[in-house]
């Protein structure tokens, strides 16, 4: 054996020191960052838990390893071995020939080797265990769910909070035994207790006794493992139900219990072998347990095939019912109210008048082409960018309106190459500026959006001033910046000049001392922070500016919705981020493809776009998981009632949660076990056409008056279709306003009646000769037609289908809204504007009698003329009312128009 080179030893020590220093600097940076946010208590709780877990696991593991190593050192062996060390001769012949130097094993410094090896291995184990800090804290502060599983009668909290701790302890036990066996075997091998000759491995008596003791402990832990595996049956999937089914309960469960008992017997056999010191008892123990485990792997499958399958429905029905109940609870499907939607009405002027708020808030702008329009019309400068479009609602000039908006964020990568200097990226270009907002239903004659808020500085046409338009924190604000330094920040462009500013927010870690500058220079790998004269005692560094990164670092136990949305509130820009508590440990609850089987929108987080300050509000006080975290971090969470009233008006039901629930509801709306078993009534998401491709329809927000309700409200909705079919079977709605927030409703169509689904309406649009000819003409002129979202809008007891058409020139990225399409199911119409579109949809499709007068007998021309003039007058007044958004007057004039036309027909 060659002695390590001093260079190698020094290199290893330097690597260890560098790794330790990096860990230390990361710790200090996190501490300073949490403290700057006023969340020092959160950091302390996390770090203290990790430290205690690390120290505890390190000490216990080191003691276990040291005891086993020392037993191996003190044990009697067959003969005392030796250790041969290869070194180079430094004298004598001067030829540097290798020499072997042999040391007697018992002369080695075991008092140093064993504690050192045990400590090093214990440190690695401790680091691994410190990552389980959430498991330990959740166990200490566990809250009861108030619901129990039907098999073991344990509260769900046992599986969510306690069982993970048992699994961590089990895994640590197996690892500690494995490392103990390796360390002891290595010592025995060096000392001669283990020899390999022509007869194979030869073990001394002490070795056999020691390994028998370790094997006995292994089987004891294995017995506990089999006990824990019994609980895993509650998450088994056999294709019929999720969770323990008939075979699991009647075969696997008894076999696992028997295996646990046999493992205890095997442990006793191995313990007895400590005195006997033979090989028969350990071999018998291994054969006993692992032979029985083979039986456990084979018998259930045979039982399932020949006993359960022939009578599956009857035997599995109780377990299917348990799966249905658990899944509906875990995904909050049991609170969905089911109501009939007979779709027996028709669109008339009176219906439109009664639902004027719904009609005025039809979303003609699809977020995808609108994002391109925002980028072309409102980025103003190349270094600004709009990442996505958010949908929200505001009361504007006394009217409840749905709007679309997006913040103008800074994209440093768009700066000219010669302007992408370190000073510009870290000190000058630090933030985005302002927001653009437009109504969902308005577009000008050129097909471009009408803006409520636009330009730089923000100009509002609706009396909505923005006092703090700077966006330092957002969805695209990557990289760190230094504020309050020796350089003023670029604020916004103004003509040929620029306006500059200095950050006045509360966020940021001070760089006022040399050690802090050195700390961040090391941590961020940027030496310029240490040597730049632009960093002054008043400088602060802003980092972790992406909303997702920022909140994940603070609360890694929460799952964040994919899309935070921006709210204009009291002159400031506020990000609202929905956050979920999830688990995969609810017994009998079906898991999603993502692996969870429980979800709640338990937390809503508000983040100021200017200073980055986050506030965590508990939105679901009934959720046991968030109750547990409230006990762990009492200073982190605030009650929802403390959210500012203006901000609370913009809470919306989150899309990710709604998607998960709608997906699960497509199966779990079936509550009868027999129907569920036969999968007779599976639902799925409909298909729609977008940009020439068939895509799955996504949920969409809209303002509408729900059937039976007095007022229009902001909802999130999604049509549902039978699996493999295109007709609509139901639509789901999530209410977002006031006391009804979070209420889910299923509106079911009659199963005996055909209700057109989005895919079928898309097909009718394709088959309309007028529309298809117009689309072909546009495509032939070098433009590209983009078909936007097809939306299904329930209006009273009927449905209105709408779809916008956009035209984009091949060499331009500016889509223009050129046509709008509507359908009431039986007919499809297209027009250049909404007024004529709806008039054509609800009016008489046949030419009016006045047009037919040219072919009428000359006996009554005066009567025809007398009728035509009032009809034309009512038509014009109806169009004026429609343009003004006065749907009630529109309905009155359309009724008068119909009466005038009927009177004219009677005269003829």
């Amino acid at each position: 054996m060659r002695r390590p080179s001093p260079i190698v030893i020094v290199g290893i020590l330097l690597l260890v020191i560098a790794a330790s220093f990096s860990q230390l600097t990361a710790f200090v940076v996190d501490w300073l960052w949490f403290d700057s946010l006023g969340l020092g208590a959160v950091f302390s709780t996390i770090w203290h838990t990790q430290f205690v877990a690390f120290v505890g696991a390190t000490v216990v593991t080191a003691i276990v390893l040291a005891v086993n190593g020392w037993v191996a050192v003190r044990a009697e062996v067959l003969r005392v071995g030796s250790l041969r060390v290869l070194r180079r001769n430094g004298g004598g012949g001067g030829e540097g020939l290798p020499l072997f130097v042999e040391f007697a094993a018992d002369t080695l410094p075991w008092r140093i080797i064993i504690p050192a090896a045990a400590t090093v291995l214990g440190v690695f184990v401790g680091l691994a265990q410190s990552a389980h800090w959430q498991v330990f804290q959740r166990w200490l502060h566990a809250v009861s769910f108030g619901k129990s599983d039907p098999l073991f009668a344990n509260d769900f909290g046992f599986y969510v909070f306690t069982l993970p701790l048992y699994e961590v302890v089990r895994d640590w036990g197996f690892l500690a035994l494995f490392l103990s066996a390796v360390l002891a075997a290595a010592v025995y091998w060096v000392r001669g207790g283990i020899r390999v000759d022509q007869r194979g491995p030869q073990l001394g008596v002490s070795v056999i006794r020691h390994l028998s003791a370790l094997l006995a402990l292994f089987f004891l832990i294995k017995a506990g493992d089999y006990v824990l595996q019994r609980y895993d049956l509650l998450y088994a999937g056999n294709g019929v139900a999720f969770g323990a089914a008939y075979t699991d309960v009647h075969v696997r469960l008894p076999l696992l219990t028997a295996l646990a008992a046999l493992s205890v017997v095997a442990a006793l056999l191995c313990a007895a072998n400590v005195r006997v010191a033979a090989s028969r008892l350990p071999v018998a123990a291994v054969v006993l347990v692992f032979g029985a485990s083979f039986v456990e792997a084979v018998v259930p499958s045979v039982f399932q095939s020949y006993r359960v399958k022939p009578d599956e429905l009857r035997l599995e029905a109780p377990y299917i019912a348990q799966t249905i109940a658990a899944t509906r609870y875990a995904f909050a499907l049991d609170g969905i109210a089911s109501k009939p939607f007979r779709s027996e009405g028709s669109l008339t002027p009176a219906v439109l008048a009664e639902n004027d708020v719904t009609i005025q808030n039809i979303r003609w702008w699809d977020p995808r082409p609108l994002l391109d329009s925002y980028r072309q019309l409102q980025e103003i400068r190349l270094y600004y960018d709009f990442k996505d479009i958010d949908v929200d609602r505001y009361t504007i000039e006394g009217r409840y309106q749905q709007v679309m908006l997006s913040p103008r964020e800074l994209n440093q990568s768009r700066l000219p190459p010669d302007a992408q200097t370190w000073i510009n990226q870290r000190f000058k270009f630090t933030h985005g500026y302002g927001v653009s907002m437009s109504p969902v239903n308005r577009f000008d004659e050129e097909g471009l959006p009408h803006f409520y808020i636009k330009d730089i500085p923000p100009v509002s046409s609706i009396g909505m001033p923005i006092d703090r338009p700077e966006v330092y924190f957002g969805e695209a604000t990557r990289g760190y910046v230094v504020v309050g330094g020796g350089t003023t920040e670029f604020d916004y462009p103004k003509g040929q000049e620029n306006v500059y500013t200095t950050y006045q927010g509360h966020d940021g870690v001070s760089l006022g001392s040399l050690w802090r500058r050195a700390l961040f220079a090391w941590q961020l790998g940027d030496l310029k922070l240490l040597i730049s004269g632009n960093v002054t005692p008043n400088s602060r560094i802003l980092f972790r500016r992406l909303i997702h990164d920022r909140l994940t670092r603070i609360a890694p136990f929460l799952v964040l919705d994919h899309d935070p949305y921006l709210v204009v509130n009291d002159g400031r820009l506020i990000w609202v981020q929905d956050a979920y508590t999830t688990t995969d440990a609810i017994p009998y609850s079906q898991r999603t493809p993502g692996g969870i089987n429980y979800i709640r929108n338990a937390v809503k987080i508000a983040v100021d776009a200017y200073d980055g300050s986050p506030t965590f509000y508990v939105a679901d006080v009934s959720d046991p998981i968030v109750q547990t975290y409230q006990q762990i971090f009492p200073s982190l969470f605030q009650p929802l009632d403390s959210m500012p009233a203006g901000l609370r008006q913009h809470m919306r039901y989150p899309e990710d949660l709604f998607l998960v629930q709608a997906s699960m509801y497509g199966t779990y709306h079936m509550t009868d076990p027999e129907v569920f078993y036969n999968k007779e009534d599976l639902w799925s998401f409909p298909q729609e056409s977008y940009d020439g491709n068939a895509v799955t329809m996504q949920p969409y927000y809209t303002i509408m008056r729900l059937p039976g309700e007095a007022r229009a409200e902001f909802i999130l909705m999604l049509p549902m279709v039978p699996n493999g079919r295109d007709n609509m079977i139901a639509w789901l709605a999530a209410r977002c306003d006031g006391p009804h927030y979070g209420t889910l409703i299923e509106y079911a169509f009659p199963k005996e009646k055909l209700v057109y689904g989005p895919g079928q309406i898309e097909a009718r649009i394709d088959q309309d000769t007028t529309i298809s000819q117009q689309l072909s003409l546009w495509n032939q002129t070098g433009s590209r037609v983009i078909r936007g979202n097809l939306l299904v809008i329930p209006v009273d007891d009927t449905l209105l289908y709408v779809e916008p058409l956009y035209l984009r020139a091949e060499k331009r990225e500016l889509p223009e809204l050129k046509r709008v399409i509507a359908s009431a199911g039986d007919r499809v119409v297209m027009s250049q504007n909404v007024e004529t579109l709806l008039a054509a949809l609800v009016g008489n499709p046949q030419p009016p009698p006045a047009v037919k007068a040219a072919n009428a007998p000359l006996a009554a021309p005066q009567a025809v003329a007398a009728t035509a003039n009032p009809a034309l007058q009512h038509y014009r007044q109806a169009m004026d009312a429609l343009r003004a958004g006065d749907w009630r007057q529109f309905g009155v004039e359309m009724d008068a128009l119909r009466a005038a036309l009927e009177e004219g027909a009677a005269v003829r």
Side-chain angles (χ1 to χ4, degrees):
M1 178 178 177
R2 184 189 297 271
R3 288 187 301 177
S5 167
I7 296 178
V8 174
I9 295 175
V10 171
I12 293 174
L13 288 175
L14 289 177
L15 286 176
V16 171
I17 292 172
S20 301
F21 187 72
S22 294
Q23 290 294 322
L24 178 61
T25 56
F27 166 81
V28 176
V29 166
D30 278 347
W31 169 54
L32 293 174
W33 184 71
F34 273 87
D35 188 64
S36 71
L37 294 172
L39 298 174
V42 174
F43 176 77
S44 297
T45 299
I46 296 174
W47 182 81
H48 285 148
T49 308
Q50 290 177 326
F51 180 76
V52 171
F54 167 76
V55 171
T58 299
V59 171
V60 174
T61 303
I63 291 174
V64 170
L65 296 179
V67 167
N68 280 277
W70 196 246
V71 168
V73 169
R74 299 293 299 272
E76 295 182 1
V77 294
L78 298 175
R79 67 177 179 82
V80 177
S82 60
L83 185 67
R84 303 177 73 199
V85 178
L86 179 65
R87 72 176 183 182
R88 289 197 175 272
N89 182 17
E95 298 180 357
L97 297 176
L99 296 176
F100 289 99
V101 178
E102 192 166 293
F103 295 93
D106 284 349
T107 64
L108 294 174
W110 294 112
R111 292 180 180 273
I112 298 175
I113 294 174
I114 295 300
T119 300
V120 170
L121 292 174
V123 166
F124 283 109
V125 173
L127 289 173
Q129 295 303 313
S130 66
H132 298 301
W133 67 270
Q134 288 191 52
V135 173
F136 304 132
Q137 282 287 0
R138 284 156 61 116
W139 172 69
L140 286 171
H141 299 89
V143 173
S144 171
F145 274 71
K147 286 184 173 292
S148 301
D149 75 277
L151 186 58
F152 300 106
N154 291 320
D155 185 86
F156 285 177
F158 169 80
Y159 303 99
V160 176
F161 304 125
T162 304
L163 188 58
L165 178 70
Y166 293 166
E167 293 171 342
V168 167
V169 173
R170 174 202 60 194
D171 294 342
W172 171 84
F174 280 133
L175 179 60
L177 282 179
F178 172 76
L179 294 176
S180 296
V182 171
L183 179 61
V187 174
Y188 282 124
W189 178 76
V190 171
R191 296 189 64 236
I194 299 176
R195 291 185 298 135
V196 181
D197 55 25
Q198 295 178 349
R199 296 172 296 172
Q202 302 297 314
L203 306 181
V205 173
S206 298
V207 178
I208 293 175
R209 287 174 173 168
H210 191 172
L211 295 182
S212 295
L214 291 177
L215 195 57
L217 292 174
F218 169 81
F219 280 120
L220 282 178
I221 298 176
K222 191 61 181 175
D225 179 46
Y226 282 126
V227 171
L228 296 183
Q229 286 186 40
R230 296 161 70 244
Y231 299 126
D232 291 340
L233 296 177
L234 297 170
Y235 315 114
N238 59 12
V240 176
F242 189 87
Y246 189 87
T247 298
D248 300 314
V249 173
H250 293 86
V251 179
R252 287 193 175 93
L253 181 59
L255 285 176
L256 287 172
T257 304
L259 281 170
L262 290 176
S263 296
V264 174
V265 173
L268 294 176
L269 291 176
C270 293
N273 199 57
V274 174
R275 290 182 58 86
V276 177
S279 60
R280 294 180 180 178
L281 292 179
V283 170
V286 172
V287 171
L288 178 66
V289 173
F290 291 99
S293 66
F294 176 77
V295 174
E296 189 271 335
V298 173
V299 170
S301 298
V302 175
F303 184 85
Q304 179 75 19
S305 298
Y306 294 98
R307 173 66 182 91
V308 177
K309 284 293 184 181
D311 195 15
E312 192 171 50
L313 176 57
R314 183 181 65 85
L315 296 178
E316 301 285 22
Y319 307 104
I320 294 175
Q322 292 166 6
T323 295
I324 293 172
T327 303
R328 287 174 63 87
Y329 160 76
F331 292 94
L333 308 181
D334 50 0
I336 297 180
S338 181
K339 299 182 179 181
F341 192 93
R342 303 198 177 279
S343 191
E344 296 176 344
S346 60
L347 281 177
T348 65
V351 170
L352 293 178
E354 292 173 1
N355 294 272
D356 57 333
V357 177
T358 299
I359 302 302
Q360 290 172 22
N361 283 281
I362 293 176
R363 198 192 74 199
W364 294 107
W365 279 106
D366 187 301
R368 289 163 288 192
L370 182 62
L371 180 60
D372 291 334
S373 297
Y374 271 39
R375 286 171 172 168
Q376 292 295 314
L377 300 174
Q378 282 295 302
E379 280 183 353
I380 311 297
R381 293 290 188 271
L382 289 175
Y383 40 78
Y384 289 126
D385 192 12
F386 293 99
K387 186 177 184 298
D388 64 7
I389 300 291
D390 295 321
V391 180
D392 203 353
R393 73 285 197 195
Y394 290 79
T395 300
I396 299 172
E397 297 176 349
R399 308 180 78 172
Y400 197 46
Q401 296 189 40
Q402 187 178 190
V403 300
M404 309 177 89
L405 69 162
S406 182
R408 188 181 293 104
E409 298 194 61
L410 181 70
N411 187 344
Q412 292 182 345
S413 65
R414 290 187 174 184
L415 289 169
D418 57 350
Q420 293 188 23
T421 64
W422 186 76
I423 291 294
N424 279 346
Q425 291 178 327
R426 303 307 177 198
F427 293 85
K428 280 289 186 183
F429 292 88
T430 58
H431 59 273
Y433 201 89
V435 63
S436 291
M437 178 188 291
S438 59
V440 298
N441 63 333
R442 294 181 64 180
F443 51 95
D444 61 23
E445 295 180 354
E446 296 181 359
L448 301 178
H450 172 81
F451 287 100
Y452 282 161
I453 301 177
K454 62 180 180 178
D455 298 342
I456 301 176
V459 176
S460 172
S461 62
I462 55 174
M464 189 182 294
I466 301 178
D467 303 321
R468 274 295 178 195
E470 299 91 343
V471 181
Y472 283 87
F473 302 86
E475 295 181 275
T477 48
R478 292 176 172 83
Y480 75 88
V481 295
V482 178
V483 296
T487 304
T488 56
E489 307 164 47
F490 167 77
D491 200 21
Y492 61 88
K494 186 176 182 180
Q496 299 300 318
E497 299 179 354
N498 293 327
V499 177
Y500 295 89
T501 188
T502 300
Y503 181 69
Q504 302 296 323
H506 303 294
D507 189 66
V509 177
S510 173
L511 297 176
S513 59
L514 182 62
W515 74 267
R516 290 194 177 205
R517 294 170 63 177
L519 171 71
F520 281 95
W522 169 274
Q523 185 65 21
L524 298 172
D526 195 342
L527 181 63
K528 298 184 184 69
L529 273 177
L530 180 62
I531 62 178
S532 174
N534 290 280
V535 181
T536 70
N538 294 324
S539 294
R540 283 180 287 164
I541 184 170
L542 309 182
F543 59 106
R544 294 172 186 160
R545 298 193 297 145
L546 286 175
I547 299 298
H548 186 275
D549 292 351
R550 193 173 189 81
L551 299 179
T552 299
R553 178 70 68 162
I554 296 171
F557 44 85
L558 295 176
V559 178
L560 303 182
D561 191 89
H562 81 283
D563 183 28
Y565 61 96
L566 194 73
V567 174
V568 180
N569 182 57
D570 290 337
R572 299 183 73 93
L573 304 180
I574 307 295
W575 292 101
V576 177
Q577 172 71 69
D578 287 288
Y580 310 109
T581 51
T582 63
T583 183
D584 61 355
I586 299 298
Y588 280 99
S589 176
Q590 174 74 50
R591 285 176 177 162
T592 67
I596 64 170
N597 68 357
Y598 174 94
I599 185 170
R600 292 291 187 272
N601 179 209
V603 179
K604 292 186 179 291
I605 311 169
V607 181
D608 193 297
Y610 182 71
D611 64 22
S613 56
T615 307
F616 291 72
Y617 298 99
V618 176
D620 187 349
V621 295
S622 65
D623 174 41
I625 298 180
V626 80
Q627 291 177 22
T628 297
Y629 282 114
Q630 280 184 282
Q631 294 189 32
I632 299 172
F633 304 107
S635 63
L636 178 62
F637 297 100
Q638 306 295 325
L640 189 61
D641 292 341
S642 64
M643 178 184 285
L647 192 59
R648 192 167 181 177
Q649 292 175 359
H650 294 278
M651 289 197 319
R652 66 183 197 185
Y653 202 84
E655 289 183 67
D656 286 356
L657 174 61
F658 189 70
L659 271 172
V660 171
Q661 290 177 310
S663 178
M664 299 303 293
Y665 195 72
T667 300
Y668 286 92
H669 69 276
M670 298 179 287
T671 56
D672 181 86
E674 183 172 353
V675 174
F676 186 94
Y677 174 82
N678 293 320
K679 299 295 188 288
E680 298 176 12
D681 194 21
L682 284 176
W683 298 352
S684 59
F685 298 167
Q687 296 287 304
E688 64 168 331
S689 177
Y690 179 77
D691 200 12
N693 300 309
V695 297
T696 301
M697 197 170 192
Q698 298 297 306
Y700 50 90
Y701 294 99
T702 187
I703 290 179
M704 62 167 288
R705 184 168 63 88
L706 290 172
E709 298 295 330
R711 298 177 57 186
E713 56 188 285
F714 191 61
I715 67 165
L716 178 63
M717 68 168 290
L718 178 68
M720 302 291 287
V721 298
N723 199 34
R725 303 290 297 275
D726 290 328
N727 60 289
M728 205 153 44
I729 191 71
W731 57 282
L732 300 179
R735 305 176 75 173
C736 301
D737 286 349
H740 300 297
Y741 175 86
T743 301
L744 298 180
I745 306 174
E746 170 214 332
Y747 290 95
F749 296 107
K751 294 185 178 181
E752 67 278 4
K753 181 179 180 180
L754 172 65
V755 177
Y756 288 117
Q760 293 171 319
I761 295 297
E762 294 278 19
R764 291 179 65 88
I765 294 173
D766 292 336
Q767 295 164 5
D768 187 280
T769 55
T770 302
I771 296 176
S772 61
Q773 289 173 1
Q774 181 65 68
L775 298 185
S776 298
L777 178 61
W778 277 330
N779 285 323
Q780 292 171 5
T781 59
S783 298
R784 185 162 66 95
V785 177
I786 301 174
R787 289 169 63 168
N789 285 130
L790 186 141
L791 304 183
V792 183
I793 309 295
V795 181
D796 271 5
D797 195 26
T798 188
L799 297 174
L800 172 64
Y801 306 83
V802 298
E803 181 176 276
L805 289 182
Y806 306 91
L807 200 61
R808 172 183 285 168
E810 287 186 354
K811 297 183 180 180
R812 297 184 66 192
E813 292 297 323
L814 182 61
E816 299 174 352
L817 205 168
K818 288 300 185 182
R819 294 291 188 274
V820 286
I821 300 174
S823 173
D826 54 339
R827 30 193 316 260
V828 176
V829 296
M830 181 175 73
S831 182
Q832 292 183 331
N833 56 65
V834 180
E835 293 86 350
T836 56
L837 177 79
L838 295 179
L841 191 64
V842 303
N844 188 348
Q846 300 298 323
V851 176
K852 297 180 180 179
N855 298 321
L858 297 178
Q862 296 87 358
V864 173
T867 305
N869 289 335
L872 182 60
Q873 182 180 1
H874 287 304
Y875 173 77
R876 289 172 175 170
Q877 290 175 347
M879 292 302 99
D880 291 341
L882 196 58
R883 294 186 186 94
D886 189 346
W887 289 96
R888 297 191 182 279
Q889 186 61 33
F890 172 75
V892 171
E893 295 298 337
M894 289 298 290
D895 288 339
L897 172 61
R898 176 177 298 174
L901 293 175
E902 291 174 350
E903 181 180 353
V907 170
R908 289 198 307 274

